Amino acid sequence: MDNALLDQPAPPPTQPRSQSELSMLLAAAKSNGRWIMIACVLLGLSGTVRHWRSLQFLAIENQSKESPFPLKNVSHVLGTWRAQEGAEATLDPEIARIAGSTDHVIRSYVDDKTGERVTVLLLYGPSQAVWAHTPEVCYPSSGFNTVIPSREVQIPLESSTRTVAFREALYGKSRGGVTELSEVYYSFLNAGVWRSDMSGQWKQFRYHPGMFKIQIERHVKTAELGDSPVKGLLSLLVEEIENRSTSPAAPSTAVAKAAGREAD
């Protein structure tokens, strides 16, 4: 066995590299070094841009934490509707926190012409927290049954040819053997657009972190939806909020373009 090891042929001698081979290797090393430097620079720029954008998003979020105007300043008289004195309320602090409210008001309005009475909830808060709190979730969890499932309706505005999307639904709750019926309308304002369903808009919340919500409840006697007198009040509330709101600082062109790409 020892002889076998000793008898193995010696490895061929290492041939010296030619000058051209050394030049090629040196050029390849320099080229790889340049690409590594370029990659490092690009990574550094990418990190800087991301940090800059994060600071912009944080600034936009901080600017949008509070309502553009105090919701208590919404007019007590809207057309023929008048807010009842002493009938203004607020949400329980814990409920307001869960609902994402940074400002809200609850009022009872009465139509001087018909005597109809409604309860109006106006709310503002972070989009990520507000959008998911809909009557479809909140009413059944409070003991109401769905009599007519929610559906989208278009509310015409009184001072323009526009319409605004709301959802309407009918809920019932038994009290002392009697079923009380409530029709409910609601919509959200985000990024300058009213929508009744925000579930598909979550990508834009980072760029538009503030959201308004209008919700109206009216007790009714018949289990049907249709030509409700509250639609006129909804129109007036939409216009009131739009007129009183001031546009938040617009994001930079770069951020706006990025928002469009992410939304696509």
Side-chain angles (χ1 to χ4, degrees):
M1 182 64 70
D2 293 338
N3 292 334
L5 291 175
L6 294 173
D7 291 340
Q8 295 299 318
T14 303
Q15 297 293 330
R17 295 183 183 272
S18 67
Q19 187 65 32
S20 61
E21 287 179 318
L22 291 175
S23 298
M24 292 175 61
L25 289 173
L26 183 59
K30 289 181 178 180
S31 177
N32 290 336
R34 283 196 297 268
W35 281 113
I36 292 173
M37 289 181 63
I38 291 172
C40 291
V41 170
L42 290 176
L43 287 173
L45 288 175
S46 175
T48 301
V49 171
R50 287 181 177 275
H51 179 66
W52 172 71
R53 287 180 60 193
S54 295
L55 292 178
Q56 283 193 315
F57 292 137
L58 181 60
I60 295 171
E61 182 179 350
N62 289 334
Q63 291 173 1
S64 303
K65 281 184 177 180
E66 302 300 327
S67 173
F69 67 95
L71 291 179
K72 66 179 181 180
N73 290 349
V74 168
S75 299
H76 284 68
V77 178
L78 296 166
T80 60
W81 293 88
R82 184 183 302 274
Q84 284 188 302
E85 294 292 336
E88 192 163 307
T90 58
L91 295 171
D92 177 89
E94 181 62 18
I95 294 177
R97 184 189 66 79
I98 294 173
S101 168
T102 58
D103 190 14
H104 71 272
V105 64
I106 302 174
R107 285 182 186 158
S108 293
Y109 280 85
V110 177
D111 189 344
D112 290 338
K113 183 187 294 185
T114 64
E116 290 282 356
R117 183 177 181 275
V118 301
T119 300
V120 175
L121 166 65
L122 305 177
L123 185 144
Y124 180 89
S127 305
Q128 292 281 11
V130 173
W131 76 270
H133 292 278
T134 64
E136 290 92 332
V137 175
C138 300
Y139 272 71
S141 66
S142 298
F144 286 84
N145 297 314
T146 302
V147 179
I148 298 179
S150 68
R151 61 195 185 194
E152 184 170 285
V153 294
Q154 295 295 322
I155 305 296
L157 301 186
E158 296 193 356
S159 63
S160 72
T161 58
R162 286 194 302 135
T163 61
V164 171
F166 273 78
R167 293 195 81 82
E168 64 177 3
L170 188 68
Y171 298 96
K173 189 172 187 178
S174 296
R175 299 179 187 274
V178 178
T179 299
E180 297 180 357
L181 299 173
S182 298
E183 67 174 17
V184 179
Y185 289 82
Y186 72 92
S187 187
F188 302 95
L189 174 63
N190 180 255
V193 179
W194 291 92
R195 290 186 174 90
S196 65
D197 183 1
M198 285 289 180
S199 59
Q201 307 301 315
W202 59 269
K203 287 184 179 181
Q204 71 184 21
F205 294 163
R206 192 177 184 187
Y207 306 91
H208 305 279
M211 182 179 290
F212 283 99
K213 176 183 180 180
I214 293 177
Q215 183 171 311
I216 289 185
E217 178 186 79
R218 180 176 76 107
H219 295 301
V220 297
K221 295 181 179 179
T222 57
E224 57 186 30
L225 291 172
D227 190 22
S228 174
V230 308
K231 292 182 178 180
L233 179 57
L234 290 173
S235 169
L236 294 169
L237 286 169
V238 166
E239 294 178 340
E240 176 85 359
I241 288 178
E242 289 183 348
N243 291 337
R244 288 182 176 272
S245 297
T246 56
S247 298
S252 68
T253 303
V255 174
K257 289 181 179 179
R261 289 195 297 270
E262 289 189 15
D264 294 340

